[in-house]
Amino acid sequence: MLQVPFIRENKELVIERLAKRNIDAEQSINDVITLDEDRRNLQATLDNLKAESNSISKEIGNLFKAGKAQEANALKEKTTQLKEDTKQLEQELNDKADALNALLYQLPNVPHQSVPKGNTDEDNEEVYREGDIPKLIDGALPHWELAKKYDIIDFELGNKITGAGFPVYKGKGARLQRALIAYFLDKNTEAGYTEFQLPHLVNEASGFGTGQLPDKEGQMYHVTGDNLYLIPTAEVPGTNLFRDTLLNESDLPIGITGYTPCFRREAGSYGAHVRGLNRLHQFDKVEILRVEHPERSYTALDEMVEHVKTILKELKLPYRILRLCGGDLGFTSALTYDFEVFSTAQDRWLEISSVSNFETFQANRLKLRFKNSEGKNELAHTLNGSSLALPRVLAGILENYQTEDGIKIPDVLVPYTGFDKI
RNA sequence: GGAGAAAUGGCAGAGUGGUCGAAUGCGGCAGUCUUGAAAACUGUUGAGGGUCACACCUCCGGGGGUUCGAAUCCCUCUUUCUCCGCCA
């Protein structure tokens, strides 16, 4: 959620930057400013009314104590009108605040100046590319065929137990999956992130804190019996660790990592591009999260990008990095870099990581602040990224490492798998 | 799941209708003393809004209510603890 004082002081900039998302926000921004002004005026009036009734109440108390019941009762009558006015003003104030908040919830984060204007993923800007695209063997197969051939992932079995998008990993497939999780976690802790194990179900307040709620509940599975949501990413429980938190400046930066399964309804996204592991309802992901001082959050973003690069380099997978354009940028993000691995057998790029700086957008909802050097409370910046999302990495490995006599395991993973070939 | 108890400032812990944003202790910060430190003593020390600064408003787990007035009474939700049941 954007900060009203920021909007007030940077009106033109906000409108201009939101235009990168192809949003004409002028009307909304003007409304925000007006509603906020009204709200503050109402608040001031209400405060005065309250001050008056507070002092009358005090007086009544004193009169009773002095044994002047008659005078006290006379004063009581005076408060009747006050109470009515207060009630009415409170109602008006609530209405204003609700209207203001409803507007604010609809406004996405202000994109960073480097974000290119654009509509779709075709307008994303490639900023880096590394790794040679391997020459495939004759008769190279896409990963869903390989999964069947080597009997390591069973999609039909998942269909039976749950439904489409819930694959069952078997044998070396399961072991490779576990190896990847352990490898990613080790790389992240080596880089200074603290490992966490987080809940896989979250309450409404958490969904709200990271921006899934309100409005985007369609992407999450809802457990109605207990009014909880299955997490779509570790970002939700991970970032909400810091909800309603006041940190010391010396606590920053904070870096955590965690493995969780992720559950996404992906309503309406069916078609040719969702075969195999490309898009699932349940998948595994290792996430990195940071809480940063506003002055160095973009340095931190660069560090996270570099970190993910080293992992992909070690895995020897061909990848590229995109700076997302305004139209493709997530609602809560100011700047996002997507990592994509090249899937040779499918001849397309697969998104395997998304690294974002949310600046104060989440922190404002979370009330995540730190006490700055002037002793004032200031919103911190939050960032997160995948390192990495498992299924598409797995797809990339299966397809790019296939040989005539099996699938080779990347060298760095062998200590984790215990075998070097499937 | 059943029965009972509880939730107060960084922590511990008083407070059962008015002068309580809240005693006291610990902790923190500043000072005195000391070569320095400790101890002792003195002072200070919650958060949010608002203001140039004051004033003022709000906050005693969340929400609602009673009352001129609520930390205190009532309803409700959540969480924690104890006992019983069940259980990886």
Side-chain angles (χ1 to χ4, degrees), chain A residues 143-420:
Chain A
H143 69 265
W144 54 87
E145 301 284 352
L146 292 165
K148 194 171 235 167
K149 180 175 173 187
Y150 296 104
D151 195 27
I152 51 173
I153 306 170
D154 197 323
F155 292 97
E156 283 74 36
L157 218 39
N159 283 345
K160 181 174 79 172
I161 303 169
T162 309
F166 293 88
V168 172
Y169 301 86
K170 303 197 283 192
K172 285 185 171 175
R175 179 63 187 252
L176 178 55
Q177 187 90 335
R178 176 155 64 92
L180 281 165
I181 293 166
Y183 165 68
F184 293 150
L185 284 172
D186 283 355
K187 291 299 290 182
N188 296 344
T189 48
E190 271 168 37
Y193 296 90
T194 306
E195 184 174 344
F196 275 65
Q197 285 212 9
L198 297 161
H200 301 165
L201 286 163
V202 294
N203 56 27
E204 270 186 328
S206 294
F208 177 82
T210 31
Q212 279 72 27
L213 299 175
D215 293 348
K216 283 170 231 17
E217 51 265 85
Q219 74 166 264
M220 290 193 290
Y221 287 96
H222 187 199
V223 182
T224 52
D226 296 283
N227 197 25
L228 297 171
Y229 294 87
L230 279 161
I231 57 170
T233 159
E235 168 191 342
V236 180
T239 309
N240 274 284
L241 292 173
F242 303 99
R243 176 149 46 86
D244 293 320
T245 302
L246 181 62
L247 298 163
N248 293 315
E249 196 166 19
S250 59
D251 294 331
L252 301 174
I254 294 171
I256 71 170
T257 183
Y259 152 73
T260 68
C262 301
F263 303 89
R264 298 189 183 177
R265 294 188 62 224
E266 304 288 1
S269 62
Y270 297 98
H273 279 177
V274 302
R275 285 199 73 175
L277 297 171
N278 289 350
R279 173 159 279 133
L280 301 169
H281 289 305
Q282 176 181 335
F283 64 96
D284 294 305
K285 184 156 62 69
V286 174
E287 191 80 356
I288 48 178
L289 290 109
R290 317 245 306 216
V291 180
E292 288 283 345
H293 193 289
E295 278 170 16
R296 72 176 304 281
S297 68
Y298 280 96
T299 308
L301 183 68
D302 291 343
E303 289 167 3
M304 292 166 83
V305 166
E306 285 307 312
H307 176 66
V308 175
K309 277 161 83 172
T310 62
I311 295 177
L312 287 167
K313 207 169 179 174
E314 280 193 10
L315 286 172
K316 299 194 171 105
L317 288 170
Y319 70 95
R320 65 176 185 180
I321 303 176
L322 305 171
R323 184 186 285 127
L324 294 195
C325 73
D328 210 22
L329 191 65
F331 186 80
T332 53
S333 178
L335 176 59
T336 295
Y337 292 105
D338 269 8
F339 282 69
E340 296 184 336
V341 155
F342 193 69
S343 158
T344 43
Q346 299 180 70
D347 192 29
R348 55 185 283 238
W349 295 93
L350 298 176
E351 183 195 333
I352 46 141
S353 177
S354 192
V355 184
S356 305
N357 188 351
F358 305 98
E359 298 188 2
T360 58
F361 195 83
Q362 290 181 328
N364 194 26
R365 287 192 174 197
L366 293 162
K367 294 205 184 68
L368 164 52
R369 298 157 305 166
F370 68 97
K371 199 157 282 285
N372 67 20
S373 48
E374 288 162 18
K376 292 238 164 125
N377 296 333
E378 187 176 342
L379 291 173
H381 282 195
T382 58
L383 303 91
N384 71 49
S386 357
S387 77
L388 293 159
L390 278 273
R392 293 177 191 159
V393 172
L394 191 60
I397 291 173
L398 296 179
E399 293 178 9
N400 290 331
Y401 278 85
Q402 58 185 308
T403 68
E404 258 95 18
D405 52 3
I407 294 157
K408 193 182 166 313
I409 301 295
D411 294 340
V412 288
L413 290 178
V414 174
Y416 292 93
T417 54
F419 51 82
D420 59 7

Side-chain angles (χ1 to χ4, degrees), chain A residues 2-16:
Chain A
L2 295 175
Q3 300 177 78
V4 176
F6 180 83
I7 293 178
R8 215 188 308 149
E9 284 156 32
N10 303 279
K11 186 180 149 185
E12 296 308 321
L13 176 95
V14 170
I15 292 170
E16 189 188 308

